Amino acid sequence: MNKDNSQKKAGLRWGFIILLLIGAVVNYLDRSTLSIANTTIAEEFGLSQTQMGFLLSAFLWPYALANLPAGWLVDKFGPKKMFAWASGLWSLATVLFAFANSYSLFYALRVVLGVAESPFFTSGLKVTETWFAKKERGLPTSIINTGSQIANAIAPPLLTVLMLTMSWRGMFIIVGAFGILVMIVWVKLYRNPTETERNMIKNEVQQEEIKKEKQATWGELFKQKTTWFMVIGNFGIMFTIWVYLTWLPSYLEIEQGFSLKETGFIASIPFIAGIIGVLLGGIISDSFIRKGVQPVTSRKVPIVGGAILAAASVAPIPFIENTVVCIVLLSVGYFASQLPSGVIWTLAADIAPSNQVSSLGAIQNFGGFLGAALAPIMTGIILDQTGSFNNVFLLGAGFLLIGAISYGVFLKEPKEVIN
């Protein structure tokens, strides 16, 4: 491949990453709509905190379970088809939410949204595994995952403005329309690399041939101890992340006394910190690999370090009365919890056989979103029982430490795991 073709290939694959980044932003804006409209919808329909907790988790349980077949489907049919179908369906569910008028219909549409969004990040993982060599994957994977943090940062002010100017129903319609546009662009532009491009990208032909001799079936992944430690570890980390994503606006209103308008902007501060965290995690792990450190060890550094720092940040919040200090701790905690975000996905690509990359990534994500699904429910129950978020933060810190131990102590190098 000559220099011009190499440059064209490089521009093409990074163009796909940017498109996936935009897709991730829209994906998470869809998820964030209910969190932003949380108190407004609860008041309009007379919902308790526990009911709202179950409604917020209605997306998460189906999303967690749907990740299992979604990873297999992406490995089988490829990211182009799966992302196209997924983005079209989740956008339709978001638009229809604007016309719902009962708790049961709200719940059903959130379930559809969860199932529809499950192939997105596994599709992104497949794209990075297809277009990037192992030593390069950390950054592009982290860039895709940064989309979720960009969305989380802009969602409070953007969606609050949309809700205040167009009502919460208008907000859902606008966000759903964005997703349909992304689907059209993806179908038009994305393609897989040619065989020549694939070999040039990998530059690891002999290693790839060795891996092909060790291809595992989907079911065999569950027989590996490492798979379960990845599930448990991601569960611990994602629990606290989704306390932020589903209840942070309400915490700022209920516990800190901010107005809806003030909350829209203040809630974006931790999420802006999260953008930096995701990118830094990928940069750190790739830098260790370039220094000759084993890939799994390189990924574990930001995963374990981030989880421990996040736990140390959120645990003191119940004992702090100063609002500014609380917001600083919330921001540091979310920054730290996002250091592992993209790296966790890259870890699956480092460990799994090439035909099971999306499958292992999806299984790990399944574990993470079991924790995510539990987070809003437990938070709602704790609020109804105690009237305070204090125990929520302490519980989150405990789960973060479990995640750090699972990844840091029990996760082993590839030669000892899936083979």
Side-chain angles (χ1 to χ4, degrees):
M1 185 178 289
N2 60 40
K3 184 176 180 180
D4 289 341
N5 286 336
S6 296
Q7 291 176 340
K8 183 178 179 181
K9 179 263 295 180
L12 183 67
R13 64 181 185 170
W14 283 106
F16 296 150
I17 297 301
I18 297 302
L19 183 53
L20 284 165
L21 170 64
I22 296 170
V25 171
V26 175
N27 181 286
Y28 261 73
L29 284 176
D30 282 290
R31 302 184 192 191
S32 300
T33 47
L34 184 59
S35 297
I36 300 302
N38 181 339
T39 54
T40 302
I41 292 176
E43 182 178 347
E44 182 174 333
F45 290 89
L47 305 179
S48 69
Q49 301 284 22
T50 300
Q51 284 179 304
M52 183 53 69
F54 276 100
L55 185 56
L56 287 166
S57 72
F59 161 85
L60 296 165
W61 290 108
Y63 180 86
L65 294 171
N67 260 270
L68 298 176
W72 178 83
L73 288 168
V74 171
D75 279 325
K76 183 174 179 62
F77 296 107
K80 181 167 186 172
K81 290 181 179 179
M82 290 307 300
F83 177 41
W85 280 103
S87 57
L89 183 56
W90 90 53
S91 300
L92 178 61
T94 301
V95 171
L96 290 177
F97 201 94
F99 301 95
N101 57 7
S102 68
Y103 185 83
S104 59
L105 190 52
F106 287 150
Y107 199 96
L109 287 170
R110 290 294 286 185
V111 169
V112 173
L113 186 69
V115 172
E117 291 199 355
S118 62
F120 175 74
F121 283 102
T122 49
S123 296
L125 179 62
K126 195 67 175 180
V127 170
T128 58
E129 190 272 338
T130 301
W131 281 96
F132 292 84
K134 180 177 290 188
K135 64 182 180 182
E136 304 174 306
R137 292 174 189 158
L139 182 58
T141 306
S142 293
I143 288 174
I144 295 171
N145 279 269
T146 302
S148 63
Q149 306 315 309
I150 293 172
N152 292 334
I154 66 174
L158 174 62
L159 298 184
T160 299
V161 169
L162 287 175
M163 188 170 66
L164 291 174
T165 56
M166 304 182 65
S167 81
W168 64 266
R169 296 182 188 275
M171 174 188 69
F172 278 92
I173 293 172
I174 294 297
V175 174
F178 285 151
I180 294 172
L181 179 60
V182 169
M183 176 196 69
I184 293 170
V185 175
W186 176 258
V187 170
K188 185 72 174 177
L189 296 183
Y190 183 76
R191 69 168 176 83
N192 287 323
T194 64
E195 190 63 30
T196 301
E197 288 172 331
R198 176 78 170 170
N199 289 335
M200 291 295 294
I201 290 163
K202 287 290 185 183
N203 198 24
E204 298 170 349
V205 176
Q206 291 181 344
Q207 290 87 337
E208 198 63 24
E209 289 175 352
I210 291 172
K211 285 184 75 175
K212 287 179 181 177
E213 296 175 359
K214 301 179 179 180
Q215 298 296 306
T217 64
W218 186 82
E220 287 173 344
L221 294 174
F222 288 96
K223 298 178 182 179
Q224 304 293 333
K225 291 181 179 178
T226 292
T227 300
W228 291 102
F229 291 132
M230 293 169 75
V231 167
I232 294 169
N234 204 21
F235 178 102
I237 293 171
M238 291 294 284
F239 178 93
T240 300
I241 288 175
W242 275 84
V243 170
Y244 277 90
L245 295 180
T246 53
W247 283 99
L248 180 60
S250 293
Y251 166 78
L252 294 172
E253 290 182 50
I254 295 171
E255 203 91 345
Q256 297 296 335
F258 291 108
S259 67
L260 177 62
K261 185 176 181 180
E262 291 170 332
T263 296
F265 290 94
I266 295 172
S268 67
I269 297 173
F271 298 133
I272 292 171
I275 297 172
I276 301 170
V278 176
L279 289 174
L280 187 59
I283 292 170
I284 290 171
S285 66
D286 280 355
S287 69
F288 274 95
I289 290 179
R290 286 193 293 269
K291 292 176 181 177
V293 180
Q294 289 293 325
V296 171
T297 302
S298 299
R299 307 308 182 196
K300 285 165 70 171
V301 172
I303 293 173
V304 176
I308 292 173
L309 177 57
S313 299
V314 300
I317 291 176
F319 311 102
I320 304 294
E321 295 184 0
N322 186 285
T323 299
V324 174
V325 175
C326 283
I327 293 172
V328 170
L329 288 174
L330 284 168
S331 299
V332 174
Y334 195 74
F335 160 82
S337 71
Q338 289 303 321
L339 284 170
S341 186
V343 183
I344 282 174
W345 283 100
T346 311
L347 181 65
D350 292 334
I351 291 178
S354 59
N355 73 328
Q356 295 291 346
V357 167
S358 291
S359 296
L360 183 60
I363 292 168
Q364 179 180 228
N365 203 38
F366 159 75
F369 273 85
L370 287 180
L374 185 63
I377 294 175
M378 289 300 298
T379 302
I381 292 173
I382 289 171
L383 282 175
D384 276 342
Q385 294 296 319
T386 68
S388 170
F389 281 84
N390 289 349
N391 290 337
V392 176
F393 290 115
L394 295 176
L395 184 62
F399 277 129
L400 284 164
L401 292 177
I402 290 172
I405 292 169
S406 188
Y407 279 112
V409 176
F410 297 108
L411 191 69
K412 305 300 181 183
E413 294 292 337
K415 64 181 180 180
E416 302 177 52
V417 291
I418 296 173
N419 51 50

